[in-house]
Amino acid sequence: MTHQPTAAVLLIGDELLSGRTRDINLQQVAQFLEPLGIPVCEARTVRDIQDEIVAAVNALRAKYTYVFTTGGIGPTHDDITADAIAAAFGVGISEHPDALRDMAARYAAMNTEFTAPRRRMARVPNGASLVANPVSGAPGFQMENVFTLAGVPQIARAMLEDIGPRLQTGAVVHKVTVRGKGLREGDLAEALGRIAQEAPGVGIGSYPWYGAIDDHGVALVARSVDAAALAAVQARLENLARTLGVEPETLR
């Protein structure tokens, strides 16, 4: 059986846990990895505390094929992710000559002083390789199976393009959604449980929506790397909706 790579996402920043900033990087990373056959299996959010970042990085990198961290690689005092990654791997940290050269040229072209705080963004753990940042120039980096990205969503998404070719891809997970307007989870639960039990290679989720009195229902989402097994489950889900008097809408 082909090895299926897996991933975890570590979101770093006090602003996420305080609710001041809404995260969309988890969604971006998961959506980028899905067509590569790399499912995101776990996500964590930690504060800007080095020991907590180190503990989370070490736990996740031992458990999953890849780890993606976002946040904490800017120029301010609370941007400590690079130092935490270095500590997690037990290595030093220093200015990367290529990063320093490229950033110096970029700031010169903008007629902007390349200050000490800005130079901090050229610091990466010793032995790490750079991840290109086509948006603002300050790079991310890769340390073994850990990829460290910026927290700004536009920059994080751009960095993923440089990472994609480095990844071992896996079997693509196919997905189908069977929506039923007017369906209720309580009416579906028993039969849905049987379908899930009888199709162990297919993951099935139930997601109700509530719009208005006349706009509510349930979306049944099935996922599998086995297209034939998925098709069989799709047929059963559609039939389940019809037995409850609802004509399903199927989306792929």
Side-chain angles (χ1 to χ4, degrees), residues 130-135 137-141 155 158-163 166:
L130 299 181
V131 172
N133 171 5
V135 177
F141 56 86
I155 300 175
M159 286 179 170
L160 289 171
E161 295 300 327
D162 189 38
I163 292 171
R166 311 182 193 191

Side-chain angles (χ1 to χ4, degrees), residues 52-75:
E52 295 185 12
I53 299 170
V54 169
V57 166
N58 282 334
L60 294 173
R61 72 186 179 98
K63 188 176 181 180
Y64 300 104
T65 313
Y66 302 113
V67 178
F68 295 81
T69 80
T70 71
I73 57 173

Side-chain angles (χ1 to χ4, degrees), residues 34-87:
E34 184 178 43
L36 300 179
I38 307 172
V40 172
C41 299
E42 185 174 348
R44 300 189 189 185
T45 305
V46 296
R47 298 177 293 174
D48 292 311
I49 296 177
Q50 181 162 314
D51 288 348
E52 295 185 12
I53 299 170
V54 169
V57 166
N58 282 334
L60 294 173
R61 72 186 179 98
K63 188 176 181 180
Y64 300 104
T65 313
Y66 302 113
V67 178
F68 295 81
T69 80
T70 71
I73 57 173
T76 60
H77 72 283
D78 58 343
D79 288 312
I80 61 172
T81 299
D83 295 273
I85 299 295

